[in-house]
Amino acid sequence: MNHTREILEQLQSGVLSVDDALLRLKEEPFADLGYAKVDLHRTLRQGAAEVIYGAGKTPEQIIGIAEAMRRRSDAPVLITRLDNAAAEQVAEQLPLTYHDSARIGIVGTPPEPDGLGTVLIATGGTSDIPVAEEAALTAEVLGNRVVRLYDVGVAGLHRLLHHMDDIMGAGVIIAVAGMEGALASVIGGLADCPVIAVPTSVGYGASFGGVSALLSMLNSCASGVSVVNIDNGFGAGFLASRINHIRPKK
Amino acid sequence: MNHTREILEQLQSGVLSVDDALLRLKEEPFADLGYAKVDLHRTLRQGAAEVIYGAGKTPEQIIGIAEAMRRRSDAPVLITRLDNAAAEQVAEQLPLTYHDSARIGIVGTPPEPDGLGTVLIATGGTSDIPVAEEAALTAEVLGNRVVRLYDVGVAGLHRLLHHMDDIMGAGVIIAVAGMEGALASVIGGLADCPVIAVPTSVGYGASFGGVSALLSMLNSCASGVSVVNIDNGFGAGFLASRINHIRPKK
Amino acid sequence: MNHTREILEQLQSGVLSVDDALLRLKEEPFADLGYAKVDLHRTLRQGAAEVIYGAGKTPEQIIGIAEAMRRRSDAPVLITRLDNAAAEQVAEQLPLTYHDSARIGIVGTPPEPDGLGTVLIATGGTSDIPVAEEAALTAEVLGNRVVRLYDVGVAGLHRLLHHMDDIMGAGVIIAVAGMEGALASVIGGLADCPVIAVPTSVGYGASFGGVSALLSMLNSCASGVSVVNIDNGFGAGFLASRINHIRPKK
Amino acid sequence: MNHTREILEQLQSGVLSVDDALLRLKEEPFADLGYAKVDLHRTLRQGAAEVIYGAGKTPEQIIGIAEAMRRRSDAPVLITRLDNAAAEQVAEQLPLTYHDSARIGIVGTPPEPDGLGTVLIATGGTSDIPVAEEAALTAEVLGNRVVRLYDVGVAGLHRLLHHMDDIMGAGVIIAVAGMEGALASVIGGLADCPVIAVPTSVGYGASFGGVSALLSMLNSCASGVSVVNIDNGFGAGFLASRINHIRPKK
Amino acid sequence: MNHTREILEQLQSGVLSVDDALLRLKEEPFADLGYAKVDLHRTLRQGAAEVIYGAGKTPEQIIGIAEAMRRRSDAPVLITRLDNAAAEQVAEQLPLTYHDSARIGIVGTPPEPDGLGTVLIATGGTSDIPVAEEAALTAEVLGNRVVRLYDVGVAGLHRLLHHMDDIMGAGVIIAVAGMEGALASVIGGLADCPVIAVPTSVGYGASFGGVSALLSMLNSCASGVSVVNIDNGFGAGFLASRINHIRPKK
Amino acid sequence: MNHTREILEQLQSGVLSVDDALLRLKEEPFADLGYAKVDLHRTLRQGAAEVIYGAGKTPEQIIGIAEAMRRRSDAPVLITRLDNAAAEQVAEQLPLTYHDSARIGIVGTPPEPDGLGTVLIATGGTSDIPVAEEAALTAEVLGNRVVRLYDVGVAGLHRLLHHMDDIMGAGVIIAVAGMEGALASVIGGLADCPVIAVPTSVGYGASFGGVSALLSMLNSCASGVSVVNIDNGFGAGFLASRINHIRPKK
Amino acid sequence: MNHTREILEQLQSGVLSVDDALLRLKEEPFADLGYAKVDLHRTLRQGAAEVIYGAGKTPEQIIGIAEAMRRRSDAPVLITRLDNAAAEQVAEQLPLTYHDSARIGIVGTPPEPDGLGTVLIATGGTSDIPVAEEAALTAEVLGNRVVRLYDVGVAGLHRLLHHMDDIMGAGVIIAVAGMEGALASVIGGLADCPVIAVPTSVGYGASFGGVSALLSMLNSCASGVSVVNIDNGFGAGFLASRINHIRPKK
Amino acid sequence: MNHTREILEQLQSGVLSVDDALLRLKEEPFADLGYAKVDLHRTLRQGAAEVIYGAGKTPEQIIGIAEAMRRRSDAPVLITRLDNAAAEQVAEQLPLTYHDSARIGIVGTPPEPDGLGTVLIATGGTSDIPVAEEAALTAEVLGNRVVRLYDVGVAGLHRLLHHMDDIMGAGVIIAVAGMEGALASVIGGLADCPVIAVPTSVGYGASFGGVSALLSMLNSCASGVSVVNIDNGFGAGFLASRINHIRPKK
């Protein structure tokens, strides 16, 4: 609201006319590219990186948005759900690092980790790794130190218990699992930090494309667990970063 | 088919007429009470006890069926889903032992355990106990030794791991859990015997009356786990007994 | 594992025999009340309070568990899903403060707030307040300062925008809404802190007992939002407290 | 019924025989092409244009129907769900304007707008644009002035609020959104005209092909909102036109 | 935005100080009763009546909100989902007319009809009448002339066809039906005005509490039909009124 | 259309005026009781009895409709879904025979059977009998000979096979079953007449109120099986009667 | 059972030994091709034609089964769900007539119609025709006269009413419709013969692959309607033939 | 726990230092290949063979895991869900036997059968055979004698009854069926050994990819039946082997 006061004072002091004041109150806080409204205030509000959701956008649109972002800020740009072919086109125009299995592209250099603790990312099986990597790369590009703990599903519990130290030492944990998604509950019962559960569409038959894992995680008997959408590695990584960068307020 | 051969031989030898042979081939292997066809051959085929599914039957019907069963066999009669009021009426006519929370009544004396090993019954929480008791009493009345391991849900894993010996020593395990039903997967990963998973309707919201646990159990990443209907303690106990009484064949 | 090292050293130094060492390694870290295994280490691990999930437990069981907890620790005991009648019985034995609409009872005195920031709890309508209060009381008893912002649903957006300062100043936000659950997305788009979305079963027809709000929240187009089970105010409050008490690790 | 009276009077006056009268009463008010019954009275009843639902029809069938329509009326013909390949074939026979992303073809010239007000079409994201364009082109070909407001999803609320004038000035609004579909509720709360919500299949995981947005819109806490089928841009545009051309009756 | 200009002009002219201007820009456009934020600008924006959604509110809350509304405006107050017992309490404090089967209470006098045409409300069966009455009374209290056409389901098509004149003469039609909900499609095919379909929870078995009718209506093969939530008579009546009061804009 | 010709001829011959002809063409073929439109032509079209769907109608409404029916025809009146209390009220006014478990009331005397063959009604268990009786009584009141074959579920296949003669001798079969509904497939494979499958809501857990049986029956691997709604005994009996009274046409 | 008596009499008279009698009682009533058990008694039991469900069978398997059938009987062989490529291979070995859109192949000559009446097959739209043709060809090959009435959906009711004579004159009606499936209810209300409803997967969005139409048809408010599986044209044609060939029994 | 005692004794006797003891207590009981944690203790615990779930693994990963397994044990390695292309690559490195339709590869030689009885595997139709073969090959490689009984669905019950001897003689039965899945109930009613039901995704329309069969099997009215995931042949074969190798315990 400080900005409003400033405008009002300029109006009062005659620097602005009523029409100019009205205009500035309405003035668009984002650049309009026609096909997408780029929110240029967001970096400020959200920190270390800009994000483009690549699915359903043409390479041209992605490049256009990324360039607009980079004109205003030095922050790296994270492009999610970017397929191979599109990545190649983007890479011709921009300094893109592409992570194949996670379908993530990064323009620019990820920052040094500056979060409170580490983000531990665990998966039930090897098929969950692409989603986990989406989370991991997102968290890294947003300035977090990430520890990966893959293929530690509950069917072989000793694999998980063996890494008890990592679990107890984490600041935030992301539990990625398909099928019955029990990993989230078991980790939720062991850990004493926030746990973000990511159901994956790994499985067949009555896994219903991730619904089984999703329900399992929503009904977790362990406290301190919350859930994001099926296969939403980005969302988990983003939220983990927010938690890991939490600052005292008010 | 031996019975058929016997009839044919009696026909051939003139002991039976064609009409008598036809009649005996058709002869009904069950008593018809009008409202229910009681299968009197089943005790022979299925072993230690007779079973009446009490839900949706009047106390009079239950008494009638139980009496017909007992006229033919000494086996105890197990009555499931028997509510308190009906149990009282039945108890006036028959020597009934009633188990309140499991809603099970038993007419007659359960046999000595004669199964191969023990049946271990584990629950995730205290609210799952009624379903577990339905399974336990069913298994006991069918001649099995039962070990109960209640309230060992995965949110506090040490409670379960503490009983590792029971798990490794069981002949068959019944895992009873609501909410996210992860207990079945964790036990399935630890044990090396058959595991029967029973989802319960314990939970709220997105547990959808047991659907979450059911899907979880069907998608168990642990091998050697199969599933029965939601809250079907009887079915689990019955199947456990069949497995525990398996005999070499052919 | 430090505890293990200690036991091993005592064994090595002859303070413990092999049998005693074995016994101590197995020693049960919880009290067994028969009907429930009370985890007495948890306070240590989880902080300011003990929790009893009251649904499906008799008043006697609740009292027994609460007393066992209080013998070991001074922490307040939070009893969720406690109905009026049970609360009255518990209150005869224990110093209980009962919150009617939230169905929460608290034994003992909540601690002073010691979290990093404030926990803001917003609801879409007045019918969502009981769930919100479950979250609020849980957070308070775990040592958090809570700000309540009720009846700010998106159908009258100015009600929400009017409280922009609270939203921008919060450390963690819990968004509680039934029907279409759009509140979580709108707040998620405005805030720059972690947002925990709680779908409620408020609504009728195609709200399907909270499923509509649940799906809406899982699919939120705003980043930084995660979801707990339908009507799970406790889970949201507990997780908010964990986030609000996060400490630098490793 | 005037037509009936006319026939009866002609019969009475001897102009028609009984058989002719019977025939005319039965006379088919549509042309029968064998594969489709073309309703030629509809233009009269429904106004500015004819519509062919292109999905599941061969280019030959589409051409046949369009030609039959055009023999009877000058109205433009709108062909929906027309894929690229079919459009090319149709364009060889008829003066077709084809809109690629909306998969709409128009034969003939859209009329001048003659509705009461403007039809505002808003989308949550860029991926919803094809459905929105189906609505927009439908409305235009039926004689409406259309204002497009794309990529104004609630995750960045200022984008929407910036266009408050368009919202308050609209005669009818079509809100097109996938994922959690919150746009409809937010617009419904801001506007004071009828709002038609169109859920789209944009999203993944628990969006279930548009079901999440659909439920969200059906449960909108804002009054004055109704819903059409997932991705049904045509239906929304058609209904908007009906509302926008409403005339005083009786 | 005119209001904003006015404030700015008063600031410029010195009538307001910067602080006063800031205050007035923030000034709350609603009364805060603690448990509910009453939107007092809404009557202006939405016309003839105020609405209270009665479900989940105590009689005291309802009375409080209604009184706040009436202090600011003469408009009648419509209270929906008001049960009998609550109605009696409200009636002691306010001049309430209560409609039993529709569960609607009206405080004050409905206005003279001033809409463009008539609102026709049709039901499939007699069991759908309460929902239809909710729609009818809502429309009437908002200033619409309503024609009722009840029990004209498609199983006896002649009942509907007999009222062809009403259908063709309506300005807006509300089609209320449970079971298979075919009424909406049939009316949609006959009418040339906007049709609002209201699925009801009338039915059993695979009607799934209105889901069958809901899906049927969403998939209507007739154009010009949109749908509101199951049993949402109020929503249909409100929307019909908006359509019926549409005014030329811009 | 013969009736139309007749009217036209009378018009031509001067027996009718144009207005009278118009009137007769429109003449209402049903009585209007205000709350229900009674179709008095239906007996003619549908045969032996009139039907009132009792659910959601007051005893007064039922009596009113039944009396209107009986004023025009001698046919018995079948009242379905009639609860005990309502039945008592109806019985005070009309000669009602009430069947308790089937919740069916019959006013008047059922006709002699005049169908082509017998209608065989089989149930899987005893709990399915009320639905089966609704079917049986409906079929009887419509003039069919009915054979009842109850409690012949596939878990004890010999019970069914024992009645092979009844199955092969039936004209139409109604298979009534809950739980997994396998009865329909087994009978469908054995019989060579039309089989109407009626899923019942008998079961628990994953039977989902009859959905399991419904899906099972829709997917029957046996040909010649069709399905009606869950618990819709009336529908099955009515359809069986139509099939059993089929007459050569055209 | 006559066959059984015959065997017993031959045993009694010494024509058969006990072993031979036993063997003949067990004698397999079908030919075993290894991959499929061909039921050669079925033609006798079911009438005019043999049926092969083509989906999931190789052309070689289809040819093998068809040849086995034709060795025993002159009846035509109907092959359903036969794709183009397979049809070509089959046609090289057998006198196959292939119907492309219905994916049906017929080996041999369909019989003269010998049913009681005509089978009327109606569709809502043109996209439903392939399913309708599957029904029509099935009915024809089983000896029924078929009348086709395509594209008469309820959105243009006059198209259907125009054919009232066909509807009233039919012996059995098959109503084929996707989307909201209202056709079945409307026809069910008009006709007085059995109506078989076939939901199709035609539609999009909330039609959920035919579920909307399926539910609609199961909940039909018209009596005398039953339903088969989605897209199951064969099942409807087969059942229609059974009804149309019903013969007086017992 | 014997292993623990051993370590403690070595510590006490000075053979191990505290650090070594700690290390050995933590020592990883599996080989870490980076992409997968191979559990090398499992052969011991689970018997005759190692299993690799092939879906979602590259041929290189499969080869790596298989080679690690074979370095430690002579047991054959079963690779499930192995597609043709991958099988070819694996076969170049390892002695692989590939079963095409079951998508199973076996490295090494299956053992001699050493189970208690035979495992009978029955299918409803020919399309279920691939799933049945997955079960059969799994059981064989784990040391079981398997009897196959394919295409014995309940629509032709005599096919199943003809093999009554096989059913009564089996030690464990696996019932594999799609569509309505009634086979499991019928076999469950006939047999007196454990029955494992495998729903398959065979079917169309309302079979919903196996959901219909799954629900049917979960609701089986026959006792002694449990269920695994849709198309989970491996799980059924594995569990059957566990049951068939059950040994007396404790």
Side-chain angles (χ1 to χ4, degrees), chain D residues 48 111-116 142-145 244-245 247:
Chain D
E112 283 303 297
D114 60 353
L116 293 171
L142 292 166
N144 299 274
R145 197 166 76 78
N244 199 32
H245 285 84
R247 293 278 176 267

Side-chain angles (χ1 to χ4, degrees), chain E residues 7-27:
Chain E
I7 293 170
L8 294 183
E9 285 169 355
Q10 291 180 339
L11 170 64
Q12 194 187 40
S13 63
V15 175
L16 289 176
S17 68
V18 165
D19 281 342
D20 286 346
L22 254 181
L23 192 70
R24 289 198 45 191
L25 283 173
K26 288 170 66 174
E27 203 172 53

Side-chain angles (χ1 to χ4, degrees), chain F residues 131-190:
Chain F
V131 175
E133 277 300 305
E134 194 186 72
L137 291 163
T138 298
E140 285 174 347
V141 93
L142 292 167
N144 300 274
R145 199 166 76 77
V146 170
V147 174
R148 288 157 171 89
L149 194 56
Y150 293 167
D151 193 25
V152 292
V154 302
L157 205 57
H158 53 290
R159 297 181 300 185
L160 184 65
L161 297 180
H162 185 69
H163 293 277
M164 202 58 204
D165 283 2
D166 290 318
I167 292 169
M168 296 311 295
V172 192
I173 300 179
I174 297 174
V176 183
M179 300 172 84
E180 94 280 55
L183 185 67
S185 288
V186 171
I187 288 182
L190 295 171

Side-chain angles (χ1 to χ4, degrees), chain F residues 153-158 160-161 178-182 185-186 188-190 203-208 211-212 215-223, chain H residues 153-158 160-161 178-182 185-186 188-190 203-208 211-212 215-223:
Chain F
V154 302
L157 205 57
H158 53 290
L160 184 65
L161 297 180
M179 300 172 84
E180 94 280 55
S185 288
V186 171
L190 295 171
Y204 61 93
S207 77
F208 299 131
V211 169
S212 169
L215 292 182
S216 197
M217 288 164 168
L218 284 169
N219 286 287
S220 177
C221 52
S223 301
Chain H
V154 302
L157 205 56
H158 53 289
L160 185 65
L161 297 180
M179 300 173 84
E180 93 280 56
S185 288
V186 172
L190 296 172
Y204 62 91
S207 78
F208 299 131
V211 169
S212 169
L215 291 183
S216 197
M217 287 164 168
L218 283 169
N219 286 287
S220 176
C221 52
S223 301

Side-chain angles (χ1 to χ4, degrees), chain A residues 154-155 157 161 179-180 182 185-186 189-190 204 206-208 212 215-216 218-222, chain B residues 154-155 157 161 179-180 182 185-186 189-190 204 206-208 212 215-216 218-222:
Chain A
V154 302
L157 205 57
L161 297 181
M179 302 172 82
E180 92 281 56
S185 288
V186 171
L190 295 171
Y204 62 91
S207 79
F208 298 132
S212 169
L215 292 182
S216 196
L218 283 169
N219 286 286
S220 177
C221 52
Chain B
V154 302
L157 206 57
L161 297 180
M179 301 172 83
E180 93 280 56
S185 288
V186 172
L190 296 171
Y204 62 92
S207 78
F208 300 132
S212 170
L215 292 182
S216 198
L218 284 168
N219 287 287
S220 176
C221 53

Side-chain angles (χ1 to χ4, degrees), chain D residues 116-192:
Chain D
L116 293 171
T118 59
V119 175
L120 177 68
I121 303 185
T123 74
T126 54
S127 310
D128 304 313
I129 293 178
V131 175
E133 277 300 304
E134 194 186 71
L137 292 163
T138 298
E140 286 174 346
V141 93
L142 292 166
N144 299 274
R145 197 166 76 78
V146 170
V147 173
R148 288 155 169 91
L149 194 55
Y150 292 168
D151 194 24
V152 292
V154 302
L157 205 56
H158 53 289
R159 298 181 301 185
L160 185 65
L161 297 180
H162 185 69
H163 293 278
M164 202 57 204
D165 284 1
D166 290 317
I167 292 169
M168 295 311 296
V172 193
I173 299 179
I174 297 175
V176 183
M179 302 172 82
E180 93 280 56
L183 185 66
S185 288
V186 172
I187 288 182
L190 296 171
D192 58 1

Side-chain angles (χ1 to χ4, degrees), chain E residues 63-228:
Chain E
I63 292 166
I65 298 173
E67 285 177 340
M69 285 169 166
R70 286 170 64 80
R71 271 193 295 276
R72 296 280 190 112
S73 143
D74 290 341
V77 177
L78 179 77
I79 310 166
T80 64
R81 310 261 158 153
L82 181 69
D83 64 44
N84 236 307
E88 276 178 35
Q89 274 188 263
V90 175
E92 287 170 16
Q93 304 286 330
L94 292 164
L96 185 88
T97 312
Y98 184 60
H99 300 264
D100 194 3
S101 96
R103 287 184 300 156
I104 270 189
I106 298 172
V107 181
T109 315
E112 284 303 296
D114 61 352
L116 293 170
T118 60
V119 175
L120 177 69
I121 304 184
T123 74
T126 54
S127 310
D128 303 313
I129 292 179
V131 175
E133 277 300 305
E134 194 186 71
L137 292 164
T138 297
E140 285 173 346
V141 93
L142 291 167
N144 299 275
R145 199 166 76 77
V146 170
V147 173
R148 289 158 170 89
L149 196 55
Y150 293 168
D151 194 23
V152 293
V154 302
L157 205 56
H158 53 289
R159 297 181 301 184
L160 185 65
L161 298 180
H162 184 69
H163 293 277
M164 203 57 204
D165 283 2
D166 290 318
I167 292 170
M168 295 311 295
V172 193
I173 299 179
I174 297 175
V176 184
M179 299 173 84
E180 92 282 56
L183 185 65
S185 288
V186 172
I187 287 182
L190 295 172
D192 58 3
C193 68
V195 176
I196 303 166
V198 190
T200 71
S201 53
V202 169
Y204 61 92
S207 78
F208 299 131
V211 169
S212 170
L214 171 63
L215 292 183
S216 198
M217 288 165 168
L218 284 169
N219 286 287
S220 177
C221 52
S223 301
V225 178
S226 65
V227 188
V228 296

Side-chain angles (χ1 to χ4, degrees), chain F residues 111-123:
Chain F
E112 283 304 296
D114 59 353
L116 293 170
T118 60
V119 175
L120 177 69
I121 303 184
T123 74

